[in-house]
Amino acid sequence: MKRRELIKILSAAPIAGGLIGSGIPFQSAFAEEAVMASAGRDLFKELGLKTFINASCVCTSLTASLMPPEVTQAIVKGAEEFVLLNDVLDKVGEKIAELCHAEAATVTAGCWSALVQGLAGVMTGMDRKKVMQLPNVEGMKSEVILQKSHANGYHQALTNTGAKLVIVETLEEAEAAINEKTAMLWFLNRGLSAGKLNYAQWLSLGKKHKVPTMIDIASDAHPVDNLWKFNDMGFDLVAISGGKAMRGPQSAGILMGKKDIIAAARLSAPPNSGICRGHKVNKEEILAMYVALERHIKMDHVKEWKSWEDAMAVIVNTVNNIKGVSQNVFIPEIANHTPTLHLSWDENLIKLSGKQLKDNLWNGNPGIEVMGGGTMGGKRDGIELSVWQLKPGQEKVIAQRLKEELLKASV
């Protein structure tokens, strides 16, 4: 679109025309930019970036999930006005807390940030001198107890505060580890079945010794009642990612829980100058996180689940009659609780490794990302895929590509 054509369009609009005729060049230029933006720019193509069909998961490397129109609109509208950062954090936090049965809540820079902010709040309380002291923990409770099976990498976020991690396995070990330096008991939800201590035992331990408990439910917005289940259960703090199942901004998350701890946690975060000063969440993301949460709670999850089952059926039925192929649809108990397909085959009938199939799908047009492609017990272990991040119709593309690759490798 040429500049002359833009000016003609803008002049025809009452508001834009008024601006142009008023001799206010800045505002007319701003309006012109808005029209240009509406035309759109394919930055992926412009920058030579590979886009793909996500039949895998919502992990960070895959840029999590796609934001729906309501969420992206919140970002656009949020960019149009100034607002005090503390004000928007206050108001959105109140709404989130109400929706999730918590005393208070705040939007953070992802779940990792929620872990750091939450623990910082526990360690410093409302003492601003301590806030500015971290990660120097002198004079503070600074030990965090967690189960060995929950130490899978994400627990390292807690060390950002300067805290020491104390690893235990049994209830007896946990009891013995608690002392005057114990700041918090941390629980990783996805590690529930791998640990020896369950929710009730962990919460009971915290209450008995008056030690705050925190749970990390990063990928667990399904089923939807998880959003308030752990607050109702009695955890003092709950941390969750915003850009996974809720389909909010990937760089946003939520910390919710006890009012006094949330208030203390915010002292370490922007616009303050504490240890989490770099964990900045802009007003657009804060608003979008609220909209994403609200949307997720209000949506028809029965209908959504049915759509996943229908999409999975398309894939299963397409490759079902290929000789040597085995399929198993299962639902992970925790973390990415959605229909997932494990696809394997007889290596004597289909000369293809899981990795080769995974690579072939990725290198196709369009590229398709799936999970698995490794080995188990020295044997080929096929691939796994999910459908919950697909756009309508992409299940048909995946089904056809799988069929092509499996038949091509068939003996």
Side-chain angles (χ1 to χ4, degrees), residues 65-267:
S65 55
L66 300 180
M67 292 182 286
E70 302 97 307
V71 178
T72 56
Q73 184 182 33
I75 291 175
V76 172
K77 294 298 293 183
E80 294 178 355
E81 300 288 350
F82 289 105
V83 65
L84 293 177
L85 185 58
N86 272 329
D87 284 354
V88 70
L89 282 169
D90 286 344
K91 295 298 183 181
V92 168
E94 289 171 8
K95 292 291 187 180
I96 291 175
E98 182 180 346
L99 289 169
C100 297
H101 305 185
E103 290 183 9
T106 188
V107 177
T108 63
C111 189
W112 182 285
S113 175
L115 300 183
V116 182
Q117 286 190 37
L119 178 54
V122 169
M123 293 169 66
T124 68
M126 298 300 290
D127 188 331
R128 290 183 178 271
K129 184 177 180 181
K130 288 182 179 178
V131 169
M132 297 308 296
Q133 181 182 317
L134 290 179
N136 175 356
V137 298
E138 185 178 352
M140 304 182 208
K141 293 184 177 182
S142 57
E143 293 184 359
V144 179
I145 299 174
L146 64 148
Q147 297 181 69
K148 183 178 180 180
S149 58
H150 294 196
N152 71 342
Y154 297 108
H155 66 302
Q156 291 296 329
L158 303 168
T159 65
N160 286 189
T161 62
K164 174 186 175 182
L165 303 181
V166 180
I167 309 296
V168 301
E169 291 191 76
T170 66
L171 180 58
E172 293 73 23
E173 289 177 356
E175 285 272 11
I178 295 176
N179 59 62
E180 68 280 357
K181 292 184 179 180
T182 304
M184 192 171 72
L185 301 175
W186 185 75
F187 198 98
L188 180 66
N189 194 44
R190 66 185 296 176
L192 173 64
S193 60
K196 295 183 179 180
L197 301 178
N198 58 30
Y199 303 133
Q201 290 170 306
W202 206 248
L203 288 168
S204 178
L205 194 64
K207 289 176 182 177
K208 177 181 177 180
H209 295 278
K210 297 182 179 179
V211 176
T213 52
M214 175 192 274
I215 187 166
D216 176 342
I217 62 167
S219 298
D220 306 333
H222 285 121
V224 68
D225 61 4
N226 275 351
L227 291 170
W228 50 86
K229 170 182 174 180
F230 301 100
N231 289 315
D232 292 345
M233 197 179 290
F235 278 94
D236 296 291
L237 291 170
V238 179
I240 188 168
S241 294
K244 299 185 187 298
M246 282 189 282
R247 297 179 65 185
Q250 186 185 8
S251 52
I254 296 172
L255 175 68
M256 48 190 166
K258 301 302 181 185
K259 189 174 183 178
D260 59 335
I261 304 179
I262 299 298
R266 283 183 55 182
L267 294 181

Side-chain angles (χ1 to χ4, degrees), residues 20-92:
I20 290 172
S22 67
I24 307 177
F26 174 78
Q27 292 190 18
S28 63
F30 192 81
E32 181 179 328
E33 287 177 14
V35 175
M36 285 293 289
S38 68
R41 230 174 120 181
D42 189 344
L43 290 171
F44 297 117
K45 184 176 181 180
E46 184 178 318
L47 297 172
L49 293 167
K50 179 184 178 72
T51 59
F52 57 92
I53 294 174
N54 185 3
S56 179
C57 61
V58 289
C59 61
T60 299
S61 62
L62 301 181
T63 58
S65 55
L66 300 180
M67 292 182 286
E70 302 97 307
V71 178
T72 56
Q73 184 182 33
I75 291 175
V76 172
K77 294 298 293 183
E80 294 178 355
E81 300 288 350
F82 289 105
V83 65
L84 293 177
L85 185 58
N86 272 329
D87 284 354
V88 70
L89 282 169
D90 286 344
K91 295 298 183 181
V92 168

Side-chain angles (χ1 to χ4, degrees), residues 339-359:
T340 305
L341 171 65
H342 181 84
L343 183 68
S344 58
W345 50 89
D346 186 337
E347 60 184 49
N348 295 312
L349 298 176
I350 300 176
K351 300 296 183 180
L352 188 70
S353 70
K355 185 179 185 307
Q356 286 172 328
L357 177 55
K358 189 175 188 295
D359 290 345

